[in-house]
Amino acid sequence: MKGDMDMYKSDQLYEEMKTVEGKIKSIEITDAESLVDYFKQYTTLIYNYKWIGSIYDIYANDVSVTRENGRKLIGAEAIVQDTTELLAGFPDLELTFADIFAVPDGHGGYKLWRHFYLDGTNLGYSKYGAPTGKSLENKKSMGLSMSTTRFIEGKWRILYEYTMYSGEWIRQVCTK
């Protein structure tokens, strides 16, 4: 019986992911509002459904991301690695948007701002060591992201980004 329940849950998650993917494919980006919806759906797919490969869909190959500690991530592959490490430590991670908006940047693209919270439990190994079982406690784990987007290679992509997580809180949750 348990196997049937697991299969049902996997089928349900797959259907949810396909629904989000369908929303993304149906979005015609014509203004800031539709651009926001596009990036919101992709961000949800990446973090909440662990569809990591979608990072290559929304980040330019040579993207430059500056993190809260000043560390630079160069290239979509570096974003994949960084996100994989976070999700490995928090396999049940859920991202909730507090706010997301975009404004034209005057150069044919948009500036995109994302304010979100992360919730999840340190159930997997992280760069800090073995799992602690401690929780991020949602509003204690805030994230902010400010991005420059352009239409390149047939898609809207992020070229530059500043992303800040509550790094010290995440470290505390991941250490005993």
Side-chain angles (χ1 to χ4, degrees):
M1 190 70 176
K2 183 173 177 6
D4 291 341
M5 291 300 287
D6 289 340
M7 181 59 80
Y8 175 75
K9 182 164 177 77
S10 66
D11 290 345
Q12 180 182 359
L13 286 172
Y14 178 77
E15 289 302 319
E16 288 174 14
M17 288 187 303
K18 294 306 280 181
T19 298
V20 174
E21 182 185 45
K23 286 180 187 176
I24 291 167
K25 288 181 178 181
S26 72
I27 297 171
E28 183 181 339
I29 299 174
T30 57
D31 57 13
E33 186 178 325
S34 54
L35 181 101
V36 163
D37 191 30
Y38 177 78
F39 281 104
K40 184 176 186 177
Q41 296 300 327
Y42 260 120
T43 304
T44 299
L45 198 59
I46 293 164
Y47 286 93
N48 294 3
Y49 294 100
K50 314 332 177 228
W51 205 321
I52 304 293
S54 293
I55 288 170
Y56 293 107
D57 293 332
I58 62 169
Y59 285 93
N61 292 334
D62 60 349
V63 64
S64 175
V65 176
T66 303
R67 291 295 306 274
E68 69 275 354
N69 55 9
R71 182 172 59 116
K72 291 247 188 220
L73 303 172
I74 305 297
E77 184 65 35
I79 307 304
V80 168
Q81 180 67 35
D82 188 63
T83 305
T84 300
E85 289 173 9
L86 176 65
L87 294 175
F90 297 91
D92 64 343
L93 187 119
E94 291 283 329
L95 181 143
T96 306
F97 283 100
D99 196 11
I100 179 172
F101 64 94
V103 295
D105 70 358
H107 302 285
Y110 291 89
K111 296 289 186 181
L112 174 71
W113 282 267
R114 294 177 283 181
H115 173 204
F116 52 88
Y117 294 103
L118 300 173
D119 197 16
T121 306
N122 181 218
L123 300 172
Y125 280 83
S126 71
K127 64 183 176 183
Y128 303 106
T132 63
K134 295 179 189 175
S135 173
L136 289 174
E137 300 179 34
N138 195 322
K139 296 226 172 166
K140 286 187 179 180
S141 185
M142 180 180 73
L144 294 172
S145 174
M146 297 150 288
S147 309
T148 300
T149 67
R150 294 279 188 286
F151 190 76
I152 55 173
E153 300 170 359
K155 292 185 176 188
W156 282 94
R157 297 179 188 266
I158 296 169
L159 298 176
Y160 306 102
E161 182 173 273
Y162 294 91
T163 297
M164 284 77 47
Y165 295 135
S166 299
E168 178 58 23
W169 177 243
I170 291 172
R171 186 191 63 74
Q172 287 178 30
V173 168
C174 291
T175 55
K176 298 214 180 228

